[in-house]
Amino acid sequence: LQTEKQERDQQDLTAKVEDLSMTIKELAEAIDSLKTQIAEMQVQLKRAGEDREKENKEFQGTVSDQRETQVLLKKALVVLQDFYNKKLFLQVRQEPAGPPPPAGFEGYKKNAGSSGVVSLLEQIIADSKAMEADAIRSEEDAQKAYEDLVKESNASVEAKSKDIINKSEEKAKKEGDLIEAKEAKEGVLLELEQLSNFNAELHKSCDFVLKNFDLRQT
């Protein structure tokens, strides 16, 4: 009966050792996977930061160029408007008296040369302002997307880091349990060996007694 109990204990401990070994292996793989994921996120975050820095530099250049363009064009517009106003003033003074032109014709004629150039400059200034506004909106969107990425990545890294700590603690406990289970198994195997030796000695003694008993009977 003692031998049967020890054999059952051995089977239970063997199964426990195998189960603990498998659990420890799975935990180690999960920890390695989490560490890999964290490393990949950190690399992606670094690249995103470099890209964001490059985009921001391009944005600063675009806005600076457009604002400089607007300043120069506005100065040119003022000069042109002043020039055409003076030219118009001189034309009015030099024109001979005569019958008045048809309604609207005179104003169109006097402004025909200036309106095209002035309108073109005004349109270019408006386009430049629109380009600046688009660049600002794009920059704001890109910056928000980057900040959201950083926030989400940091939260994910923090969660995975906590998971690594928890799994590492669980793994350490399982490793302790595994050591105990192996020691217990070795103890049971030793007891089984001792029982086996005892049974063998007992069997020899019984054989010796039976043999001597048979000799006495003859």
Side-chain angles (χ1 to χ4, degrees), residues 53-122:
E53 185 178 354
K54 182 180 178 182
E55 290 169 355
N56 181 259
K57 187 176 180 180
E58 292 175 354
F59 160 74
Q60 296 291 346
T62 298
V63 170
S64 177
D65 290 344
Q66 294 306 316
R67 288 177 179 175
E68 185 177 351
T69 298
Q70 291 166 33
V71 169
L72 294 174
L73 289 175
K74 285 177 182 178
K75 288 180 180 179
L77 185 60
V78 170
V79 171
L80 278 175
Q81 288 174 334
D82 183 58
F83 170 76
Y84 283 120
N85 286 336
K86 288 180 180 178
K87 185 177 180 182
L88 179 62
F89 176 74
L90 291 174
Q91 285 178 345
V92 170
R93 290 186 60 184
Q94 294 172 0
E95 284 180 356
F105 180 77
E106 182 179 6
Y108 174 79
K109 179 181 178 182
K110 291 177 180 177
N111 293 310
S114 64
S115 61
V117 177
V118 170
S119 297
L120 179 61
L121 284 178
E122 289 174 341

